[in-house]
Amino acid sequence: MTLIRTHLSKKYNREKPVLIVGKGPTARFIPKSDEYYVACLNQSGRLVEHCDFQFIGDQKPYHDMLESYVERVDNLIFPTKFNLQNTTGDDTIDYVNRTLPQSVQKHAYTFCGPTVWHCHDFDFAMKVSVMCTGELSFYWLLKQGFKNFKSVGIDKNFGDNRRHQIFMSNGDCPDVASGNLFDGWEDFMFNRKLKLIKENNANWELM
């Protein structure tokens, strides 16, 4: 994976924990706090009072953020080309520049190799450096110097790929609703995140 325009202000304390909010069954409302930064995966920003880092991969989560809670977002980390629901083609960066409020700082990235949606067997999936938005968040934050992480809504031992009902009812999980993920996907991705944390001598606490 290649990162583009990655500068993050030195005002961010790299020693402070980052609380990453996913869309799994353990997701819950997260209040703003001076004790941690908050990172949101796709539409999980619906459940937070303030989002320091918003990570997206597809166009639908971007639109949902714009419509629902963009005023609570400080930094957007987005792909140079949306993965799913892409109506912008190769012009994603220009599209985001036109539609995102100037108050939100932009950080773009691009994947090297096939995307997650071409990976429906474990052997092929392992060829991809960073696969899902959750893994992207850890990768990007580690590259920025953060080492201490907490999380809600990133769940292990959920082989049926469940999501919190608030996201299912809002239509935020088309991959789950359509059965696009293979059995064991969540456990597989959880273990990849855990491996990334261990390789970087970082800390991760499930809340």
Side-chain angles (χ1 to χ4, degrees), residues 12 21 30 32 37-42 44-46 48-55 65 69-77 104:
Y12 288 93
V21 184
I30 300 297
K32 185 177 180 179
Y37 297 117
V38 175
C40 299
L41 309 182
N42 296 313
S44 69
R46 297 187 191 276
V48 307
E49 185 177 7
H50 182 81
C51 176
D52 296 285
F53 308 106
Q54 170 70 57
F55 293 87
M65 176 199 68
Y69 60 90
V70 69
E71 71 279 357
R72 304 199 299 270
V73 175
D74 285 345
N75 294 276
L76 174 69
I77 299 88
V104 182

Side-chain angles (χ1 to χ4, degrees), residues 20-33:
I20 302 176
V21 184
K23 296 193 295 187
T26 63
R28 58 184 181 272
F29 174 75
I30 300 297
K32 185 177 180 179
S33 173

